[in-house]
Amino acid sequence: MAKTATKSARKPAAKAAVKPAAKAAAKPTAKAAAKPATKATAKAASGAKAKPAKKPGVKLSMLKPSVNNMTVRVFARAAGLDAAETDAWGHTRSPEFMARNPAHLTPMIEDKGLPRGVLWESCAIMQYLSNKHGLEKFYPKAPAKRAMIDSAMFYLVGTLYPYVARATYPFLGFPQYAGEVGHSDAHPDKKSEAQKAAMAAIAEPLEVFHSFFRDGKPFIGGKNPSIADIRLAATLEFLAVIDYPLPKWAKDYVAAVEKKLGKAYSEPAGDVRGYIAHVKSQAKA
């Protein structure tokens, strides 16, 4: 009887004393400790991704009317590189510019990681920035795919663009490159002949991009524009100044690049198109 009485007396008292005290003490401290941890871990538990680190800005010296410069301007925007642009029109022969860039060419980027601090040539700039920031969407790492992008760009620079420059630069008021007929002391008739021959020669290398490099794909890069596509689309912009009859596929191709890249393409292209419109209006006046 003593044990029974003791147990029945102890249990209610113990439970009554312990439970409220435990609840009162435990609940506030548990909530207070749990809340910060819950908020901190909620995103991780739900699978939410952290914001990617912003890519560092690029210092870019450029000329707005140029498709070579347009190429890098488009790429920098499309890649989210937040380029700080400086219009170098009229300054590329200044002592300050020449001290950094003896070739006096644009586009030119400045980057501390470069051996000489600066880099020019549009294709080289896009390759460098793609490699530095891991932009495989524009410049794949796979050797075979990368080789095709490189081949397309080098073919453009070495074959198609010289024809485009020879055909369009006299109308645009741009100086010819060294080695071009327009840069020589040849008779104006000879220069005119060379210009007409270049216009006639454009069709063949242009078709190579259609039949070989694209080969039924939307872009040279496949489903998305690569750095070679950006370079080609920009180059074709200059042909408007001579009213070159682009084949339908080429018109559709440029429109597709612009649609895919949006403002990244249309804003720099607007500067080139505006300049061409100005040149053509001056010629008619």
Side-chain angles (χ1 to χ4, degrees):
M1 293 294 291
K3 285 184 180 179
T4 306
T6 305
K7 281 183 180 178
S8 59
R10 284 178 184 173
K11 279 185 180 178
K15 283 182 180 179
V18 172
K19 280 189 178 178
K23 284 182 181 178
K27 279 186 178 179
T29 53
K31 283 183 180 178
K35 277 185 180 178
T38 302
K39 285 182 180 179
T41 56
K43 288 185 179 180
S46 64
K49 292 181 180 178
K51 289 183 179 180
K54 190 176 180 181
K55 298 182 183 73
V58 177
K59 291 183 179 180
L60 171 64
S61 295
M62 53 83 202
L63 304 177
K64 290 183 178 181
S66 162
V67 293
N68 296 327
N69 289 260
M70 172 188 158
T71 298
V72 175
R73 296 180 72 201
V74 169
F75 170 74
R77 285 166 167 78
L81 294 177
D82 190 27
E85 296 181 346
T86 299
D87 193 338
W89 189 270
H91 300 290
T92 57
R93 294 277 185 172
S94 68
E96 181 186 0
F97 195 92
M98 294 280 285
R100 293 178 296 158
N101 180 346
H104 54 80
L105 293 175
T106 59
M108 178 188 78
I109 63 166
E110 298 175 55
D111 191 285
K112 291 180 180 178
L114 293 164
R116 301 302 299 273
V118 301
L119 180 68
W120 60 86
E121 295 295 348
S122 61
C123 294
I125 290 171
M126 291 191 294
Q127 289 170 315
Y128 169 72
L129 292 174
S130 292
N131 288 332
K132 180 176 180 178
H133 298 293
L135 301 171
E136 291 190 59
K137 176 181 177 181
F138 298 100
Y139 193 41
K141 282 187 177 180
K145 290 183 178 179
R146 175 167 285 200
M148 293 304 290
I149 301 299
D150 289 339
S151 179
M153 289 195 301
F154 298 158
Y155 182 65
L156 189 154
V157 172
T159 302
L160 176 61
Y161 195 77
Y163 289 145
V164 172
R166 194 176 298 167
T168 62
Y169 276 25
F171 289 99
L172 292 163
F174 289 179
Q176 295 281 306
Y177 291 117
E180 287 286 339
V181 175
H183 192 270
S184 72
D185 294 327
H187 191 277
D189 290 345
K190 291 292 183 184
K191 292 182 180 182
S192 179
E193 287 177 17
Q195 187 178 8
K196 289 175 183 177
M199 290 171 64
I202 287 171
E204 182 178 307
L206 186 57
E207 176 58 26
V208 171
F209 284 97
H210 176 50
S211 61
F212 181 79
F213 288 112
R214 286 181 67 213
D215 189 28
K217 304 186 299 294
F219 307 105
I220 298 168
K223 292 182 181 179
N224 296 296
S226 65
I227 57 177
D229 290 290
I230 294 172
R231 188 68 183 86
L232 176 58
T235 295
L236 299 182
E237 294 281 350
F238 260 176
L239 292 175
V241 78
I242 57 173
D243 294 319
Y244 184 85
L246 281 174
K248 184 179 182 303
W249 76 261
K251 292 178 182 177
D252 292 344
Y253 169 76
V254 174
V257 172
E258 182 165 12
K259 183 178 180 180
K260 197 76 173 179
L261 299 181
K263 288 184 179 180
Y265 185 94
S266 60
E267 288 179 354
D271 289 325
V272 171
R273 293 166 184 169
Y275 181 74
I276 289 173
H278 170 74
V279 169
K280 292 176 81 171
S281 69
Q282 293 296 105
K284 290 177 181 178

